[in-house]
Amino acid sequence: MNKILILFLIAWLPLTVFAQTDSLTVGAAVEHALKNNPSITAAQKNLESASHSANAAKGHYLPRVDLTALGVKINDPIYLNLNDIRSAVIGAGVIAGGNQSVLEQSIPSFEKKILDDTFVRLMATFTQPIFTGFKISANAQVKKLEKNIGEINLKNTKNSVITSVIEDYYRVKLAGEIIEIRKDLRENMENHTANAKKLFDNGLISKANLLRAEVALAEAKKDYQKALTDKELAAILLNNTVGIKTEHFELSTPMEMLPGERDADFYVSKALENNTSLKLLNSKKLMLKQKHKAAFGNMLPAIAAVGEYQILQDKLTMVEPEWALGLTATLNVFGGGSNINEIRAAKAEIAAIEAQIDDVRSLIYTAVRKLYHQCATAKRDYETLETNKNLAQENLKLFRASFKEGLATSLEVVDAELALAKIKIDRSKAVFDYNSAYANLLNICAISDTIKIE
């Protein structure tokens, strides 16, 4: 008995665990995508790199200290030879009555080695920039802007991923609903064809009516198979976006329109304020201004404090100092006109990007209005199709009953079935169109991460 209970638990536990994890909401799909999507990982690493570069640029404001080791071999040792002075001293001594030989022996040689043919040096050097013609500050600002661009790109990538998840999720949901609609239509066509065959066998309808029913059944079967294929392709897209095998989950979020819609002016203002393409262009404009600043700085002197300290002082010659401090100044007097042309080029680039920013602002305004209009159209179509669906259902009931009595043709029944199926599909598609347009509207406003989705 115990063995049977254990075997039951072993079989039951995996089913229980799976049952707890077999649903996937659109919100959960977004969370999975934000964790697993490789584009987000790449954007995060690029931001990390830009952050390190920005920190590195700040270091150029600080002094630089280097240790330099030097080992040298020259052709011959270097001597300081003052023996001519020695000879003059001895000569003066002889004139004064001294003994030349005694003087020769008592006065040492005036020759001294001051540098061996092999020598080493170990020194610490110090450089502190004082004024670099704005090069350091411009570079630091550019690196900071590159970090900001990394943050913008990361946000843009996340918004794009959220948009893709919403579109792909509801595309699978739409494909699933179309499968059910096509399945119902196929079953209805099978029933209608069976009724038509009975009526034909009893001589109540013509062969043309039966053939029309059979053709409609064949079309319904083909459309059903196509719907299955469409869902498989949609599921592959969703898997790639989310980063997990969604076939093992039930997509539990209802096929409904996303909540939270605001008026058009709200989205226009948000888009012009937050749009990532616009922010990237503005950041590029600021970078070009720093480029212009650095180009102008090339025409100014570069000033720095420098210092040197000899660590191996016992290796120094009598003419080498132990330490030294000083200032350096460098001014480019003639560079072939390159500095002026770089300034002009930077100005032209700034003017070009300002024109591009104006153009993008116009495009953003148009895109927001278009997407908002698509949302409104989809919502209006959905509401209209609800009424049309009710009318089509009543119409179909009427033709089915009339066909059984021989008062309606097979063509009329088939047309009524197809009309109802089309309305159902269009109604589901209106939900998809709305959610797709709304997701893209949020994306262009760079506020996709603010939507409340479950």
Side-chain angles (χ1 to χ4, degrees):
M1 180 66 183
N2 290 335
K3 290 183 177 179
I4 295 174
L5 180 60
I6 291 171
L7 290 173
F8 172 77
L9 289 173
I10 291 173
W12 177 76
L13 277 173
L15 294 175
T16 305
V17 173
F18 183 76
Q20 294 173 347
T21 59
D22 62 351
S23 64
L24 182 69
T25 65
V26 65
V30 167
E31 290 179 5
H32 279 293
L34 293 177
K35 291 178 182 177
N36 302 325
N37 192 278
S39 297
I40 292 178
T41 302
Q44 288 172 334
K45 292 301 179 183
N46 287 333
L47 174 57
E48 182 181 340
S49 174
S51 298
H52 290 311
S53 296
N55 292 332
K58 295 177 183 177
H60 295 303
Y61 286 109
L62 303 176
R64 174 171 178 157
V65 179
D66 296 303
L67 282 178
T68 303
L70 183 67
V72 179
K73 175 71 171 71
I74 60 178
N75 56 336
D76 292 305
I78 298 176
Y79 292 88
L80 177 62
N81 191 337
L82 299 176
N83 279 327
D84 289 343
I85 297 175
R86 178 177 179 273
S87 298
V89 171
I90 292 173
V94 171
I95 294 172
N99 186 294
Q100 182 171 355
S101 61
V102 174
L103 291 172
E104 289 280 359
Q105 292 177 0
S106 60
I107 298 176
S109 173
F110 278 20
E111 182 180 57
K112 182 177 178 60
K113 185 197 297 185
I114 61 173
L115 189 62
D116 289 327
D117 58 348
T118 301
F119 62 92
V120 295
R121 295 287 183 272
L122 180 62
M123 66 191 79
T125 59
F126 160 90
T127 306
Q128 171 62 63
I130 297 175
F131 179 73
T132 60
F134 313 117
K135 294 182 184 66
I136 292 179
S137 61
N139 181 64
Q141 285 297 318
V142 166
K143 295 302 180 183
K144 183 179 178 180
L145 288 167
E146 287 178 352
K147 179 184 175 182
N148 292 340
I149 287 173
E151 293 171 348
I152 294 169
N153 282 329
L154 177 58
K155 183 176 180 64
N156 180 50
T157 303
K158 287 182 177 180
N159 281 324
S160 297
V161 167
I162 292 171
T163 302
S164 296
V165 170
I166 292 173
E167 287 186 307
D168 293 343
Y169 187 96
Y170 284 102
R171 184 179 288 108
V172 175
K173 293 285 292 184
L174 173 63
E177 292 205 352
I178 290 176
I179 286 174
E180 293 302 315
I181 295 169
R182 293 298 185 190
K183 181 180 178 182
D184 290 342
L185 179 62
R186 184 194 65 184
E187 292 173 353
N188 292 340
M189 287 298 98
E190 287 173 347
N191 293 333
H192 174 65
T193 302
N195 290 333
K197 192 172 187 311
K198 290 178 183 178
L199 292 173
F200 173 75
D201 292 340
N202 293 327
L204 296 178
I205 61 172
S206 65
K207 181 69 172 177
N209 275 284
L210 176 59
L211 289 175
R212 184 67 187 88
E214 290 173 342
V215 170
L217 175 59
E219 287 291 325
K221 289 180 177 179
K222 183 189 74 172
D223 290 340
Y224 176 71
Q225 291 300 322
K226 182 179 181 301
L228 293 175
T229 303
D230 290 343
K231 185 176 181 181
E232 289 179 5
L233 295 175
I236 292 173
L237 291 174
L238 181 60
N239 291 345
N240 292 338
T241 305
V242 177
I244 59 174
K245 295 290 185 181
T246 58
E247 295 92 337
H248 305 309
F249 298 88
E250 175 193 357
L251 303 188
S252 54
T253 299
M255 189 66 175
E256 298 174 352
M257 294 181 179
L258 292 169
E261 184 184 353
R262 308 281 290 273
D263 60 83
D265 291 337
F266 169 82
Y267 295 110
V268 169
S269 63
K270 284 294 182 182
L272 295 177
E273 176 186 352
N274 297 328
N275 182 265
T276 51
S277 296
L278 199 57
K279 280 191 171 183
L280 288 172
L281 286 173
N282 282 317
S283 295
K284 186 176 179 182
K285 176 184 173 181
L286 294 175
M287 291 175 71
L288 288 173
K289 287 185 175 181
Q290 294 302 320
K291 180 181 177 181
H292 175 267
K293 181 179 178 181
F296 179 76
N298 288 332
M299 303 176 65
L300 302 175
I303 302 172
V306 295
E308 181 180 295
Y309 178 76
Q310 297 290 343
I311 298 174
L312 300 179
Q313 296 180 7
D314 59 328
K315 303 295 184 182
L316 299 177
T317 67
M318 64 180 70
V319 297
E320 292 179 288
E322 295 178 5
W323 58 269
L325 291 174
L327 291 174
T328 66
T330 305
L331 176 64
N332 178 258
V333 178
F334 179 72
S338 59
N339 293 334
I340 294 295
N341 286 318
E342 285 178 0
I343 292 173
R344 291 171 177 169
K347 284 183 177 180
E349 286 179 300
I350 292 171
I353 204 165
E354 286 175 344
Q356 190 176 357
I357 288 172
D358 290 339
D359 183 46
V360 170
R361 287 177 65 87
S362 298
L363 292 174
I364 288 172
Y365 178 84
T366 302
V368 169
R369 288 290 181 178
K370 178 182 177 182
L371 290 169
Y372 190 84
H373 175 72
Q374 288 176 352
C375 288
T377 300
K379 185 180 288 187
R380 185 170 58 251
D381 290 347
Y382 180 82
E383 294 169 354
T384 302
L385 288 167
E386 175 63 20
T387 302
N388 293 348
K389 185 183 76 169
N390 295 332
L391 294 174
Q393 287 173 336
E394 292 297 324
N395 187 53
L396 177 59
K397 286 181 183 178
L398 176 63
F399 279 119
R400 281 176 178 172
S402 298
F403 181 73
K404 289 180 181 180
E405 300 296 329
L407 300 176
T409 65
S410 178
L411 178 60
E412 289 172 322
V413 175
V414 169
D415 286 345
E417 291 278 7
L418 293 177
L420 178 60
K422 183 178 184 305
I423 289 172
K424 289 180 178 179
I425 291 173
D426 288 346
R427 192 164 179 268
S428 295
K429 191 173 182 299
V431 176
F432 172 77
D433 289 343
Y434 176 89
N435 288 344
S436 178
Y438 185 55
N440 280 281
L441 180 61
L442 296 179
N443 186 22
I444 202 171
C445 297
I447 55 174
S448 298
D449 52 353
T450 64
I451 183 176
K452 294 180 180 179
I453 46 180
E454 299 177 355

